[in-house]
């Protein structure tokens, strides 16, 4: 996870309005998230589409890990050998 740089990653919305093109280009180039403020308070988070997509994929992966850990804790698991034997049987049956 990136560390927030208080000098560059927090900008007032008026700065964004005045320099939209430059800020968007910087987002693509630097892959950093920007916090926009309004009246001195955090108002929005701005990041490139690529960075947003990367975070979505990372979140999806983490959710899968958590689901797997819950299955292990609740005993809802199948031994690897049993799984592959069942898979071979289904393939042989044409299912």
């Amino acid at each position: 996870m990136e560390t927030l740089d208080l000098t560059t990653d927090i900008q007032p919305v008026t700065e964004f309005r005045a320099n939209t093109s430059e800020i968007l280009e910087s987002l693509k180039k630097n892959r950093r998230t920007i916090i926009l403020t309004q009246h001195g308070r955090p108002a929005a988070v701005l990041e490139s589409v690529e960075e947003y997509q990367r975070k979505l994929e990372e979140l999806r992966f983490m959710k899968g890990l958590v689901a797997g850990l819950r299955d292990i804790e609740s005993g809802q698991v199948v031994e690897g050998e049993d799984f592959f034997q069942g898979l071979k049987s289904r393939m042989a049956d044409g299912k």
Side-chain angles (χ1 to χ4, degrees), residues 33-81:
T33 300
I34 294 176
I35 308 296
L36 295 178
T37 61
Q38 192 170 36
H39 307 295
R41 301 180 61 98
V45 175
L46 189 63
E47 59 191 3
S48 70
V49 172
E50 294 82 9
E51 190 63 14
Y52 179 73
Q53 183 67 39
R54 184 193 67 76
K55 287 179 181 179
L56 284 179
E57 290 169 5
E58 192 174 271
L59 179 60
R60 200 172 301 122
F61 176 77
M62 296 299 288
K63 284 182 175 182
L65 284 178
V66 169
L69 290 171
R70 286 186 180 143
D71 286 346
I72 291 170
E73 288 175 354
S74 67
Q76 296 179 350
V77 293
V78 176
E79 293 293 328
E81 195 171 308

